[in-house]
Amino acid sequence: MEIDLSPKLAKKVYGGDGGSYFAWSPSELPMLREGNIGAAKLALEKNGFALPKYSDSAQVAYVLQGTGVVGIVLPEKEEKVLPVKKGDAIALPFGVVTWWYNKEDTEFVVLFLGDTSKAHKRGEFTDFYLNGSNGIFTGFSTEFVGRAWDLEEDVVKTLVSKQSGKGIVKVSGVNLPEPKKEHRDGMTLNCEEAPLDVDIKNGGRVVVLNTKNLPLVGEVGLGADLVRLDGSAMCSPGFSCDSALQVTYIVRGSGRVQVVGVDGKRVLETTIKAGNLFIVPRFFVVSKIADPEGLEWFSIITTPNPIFTHLAGSIGCWKALSPQVLQAAFNVDADTEKLFRSKRTADAIFFPPPK
């Protein structure tokens, strides 16, 4: 059965004065269910507070816009309160409790991508809030709450009745914990400031998130990368050779994408723009060309240390094959094979626009 690979935008799930929560639905993006991938986005207004919660899925969070604060409690650990900003990637393993807060005028936006293979619903995150009208605290009877926390019944009723918000609230008159820069160590990596793994003049740049620069992604089981493609440049056709899925969110700009699958069939050819999410199936080959203003995307790969095979350029697998094999495979003469081999001799995965 053919699956629709078309890029999709997220839709609002809930929200209020403090901000909104958006998600991609597997009913509209079937590859989410097929690949056991969840995708969502949090947008907080000034003084917006995303209540403490944990998820049924390990995730990678990526800050798309603004600055904010995240509180993180790993199982059996003390709370860490991190200052985060645009470009930060944060690994969130199973069982971690988080809360998010924006005290600035600029909207604070965070992308969440993760593995739903152990989730309640394939292709969707299920969040368990500790507080709020849909929180775990309000689900227990006053007797159980009173005994668990050694509280009088009137205090329990006060605590429950005050929790009127759902998921996201706007706070006032409360001083939330100040973030500590030292808490960032080992918890987050800024992909816009990290050393570049690939840097091609007039082509593009890549930062790869893996167990070397953020060991916590090993617990999440996912890798990630931030790719910035210059105007009209091309990303070489390539595929994940370790059976991983590639989930791509377009951060900025626009461009064109083609994906080729089984039997050499082109299964996707479309334009992509900021806010789009699409998924490349295992072993399918993908290539992108940026529009003149450039193209930037953040991807997760369903393995913590991904390996890619590129087909073009000096590192492409076609160049690794012997001339005789290429001549026979393409069914061309030796001169044509030499012409094919002589092109794209640079050690690159990005190609600048034609002169």
Side-chain angles (χ1 to χ4, degrees):
M1 182 178 68
E2 293 186 1
I3 296 178
D4 181 14
L5 301 180
S6 302
K8 296 293 191 299
L9 297 170
K11 290 189 175 181
K12 184 176 177 178
V13 180
Y14 61 83
D17 292 341
S20 300
Y21 181 83
F22 304 82
W24 283 265
S25 169
S27 63
E28 295 187 354
L29 192 59
M31 274 302 299
L32 290 172
R33 184 180 290 110
E34 290 293 320
N36 273 318
I37 298 295
K41 195 161 54 172
L42 173 70
L44 293 180
E45 304 294 339
K46 184 175 182 180
N47 294 324
F49 177 48
L51 295 171
K53 67 178 177 69
Y54 61 92
S55 176
D56 64 353
S57 306
Q59 302 171 350
V60 172
Y62 182 73
V63 180
L64 297 169
Q65 178 181 309
T67 59
V69 179
V70 57
I72 298 176
V73 181
L74 294 168
E76 308 299 325
K77 302 288 185 180
E78 295 292 326
E79 179 186 55
K80 291 190 175 185
V81 182
L82 288 63
V84 290
K85 62 181 180 179
K86 182 177 180 291
D88 277 346
I90 307 112
L92 303 174
F94 276 112
V96 65
V97 173
T98 63
W99 56 263
W100 304 79
Y101 176 60
N102 179 21
K103 61 180 178 179
E104 305 296 338
D105 292 328
T106 303
E107 189 178 42
F108 177 48
V109 185
V110 185
L111 174 72
F112 299 92
L113 301 174
D115 174 16
T116 65
S117 60
K118 298 179 181 179
H120 284 268
K121 300 176 183 178
R122 293 175 58 189
E124 297 181 54
F125 299 139
T126 299
D127 294 325
F128 294 83
Y129 285 91
L130 303 189
N131 306 89
S133 60
N134 61 335
I136 292 171
F137 194 92
T138 59
F140 284 104
S141 67
T142 54
E143 177 194 359
F144 272 66
V145 172
R147 291 191 62 176
W149 283 276
D150 192 21
L151 297 171
E152 296 295 332
E153 184 177 353
D154 60 335
V155 177
V156 174
K157 289 181 177 179
T158 299
L159 288 171
V160 172
S161 65
K162 290 289 186 180
Q163 299 182 59
S164 57
K166 178 182 177 181
I168 300 170
V169 299
K170 196 165 190 174
V171 297
S172 60
V174 178
N175 293 320
L176 290 172
E178 286 296 319
K180 298 180 180 180
K181 289 185 177 179
E182 60 268 26
H183 283 179
R184 289 177 55 88
D185 296 343
M187 299 296 295
T188 184
L189 176 78
N190 190 278
C191 296
E192 295 186 354
E193 299 174 354
L196 297 171
D197 293 282
V198 177
D199 186 7
I200 306 299
K201 185 178 179 181
N202 298 323
R205 289 151 297 285
V206 181
V207 169
V208 177
L209 185 71
N210 53 34
T211 55
K212 293 180 180 179
N213 51 21
L214 190 62
L216 200 56
V217 300
E219 294 186 34
V220 175
L222 302 170
D225 59 22
L226 176 68
V227 181
R228 286 167 283 183
L229 201 58
D230 291 334
S232 302
M234 180 184 194
C235 182
S236 166
F239 64 94
S240 171
C241 57
D242 50 8
S243 77
L245 289 166
Q246 186 173 2
V247 186
T248 298
Y249 176 85
I250 306 301
V251 176
R252 181 188 60 83
S254 59
R256 292 175 291 145
V257 61
Q258 291 187 358
V259 177
V260 176
V262 179
D263 293 329
K265 183 179 180 181
R266 189 184 310 150
V267 293
L268 180 65
E269 180 176 16
T270 189
T271 57
I272 44 179
K273 61 182 181 180
N276 280 158
L277 183 87
F278 69 98
I279 302 173
V280 179
R282 293 177 175 88
F283 301 111
F284 282 36
V285 179
V286 60
S287 182
K288 307 178 191 74
I289 296 178
D291 285 341
E293 73 269 26
L295 183 64
E296 180 178 332
W297 66 86
F298 181 80
S299 296
I300 64 161
I301 302 93
T302 54
T303 178
N305 294 293
I307 303 173
F308 287 96
T309 292
H310 290 275
L311 302 182
S314 66
I315 60 174
C317 64
W318 265 314
K319 292 292 181 74
L321 294 170
S322 60
Q324 298 89 340
V325 170
L326 280 183
Q327 187 177 343
F330 280 119
N331 191 26
V332 296
D333 58 32
D335 290 338
T336 303
E337 188 281 328
K338 288 179 181 178
L339 178 63
F340 175 81
R341 186 177 293 276
S342 68
K343 301 295 184 179
R344 298 296 186 206
T345 57
D347 185 9
I349 62 172
F350 300 127
F351 309 132
K355 296 181 179 179

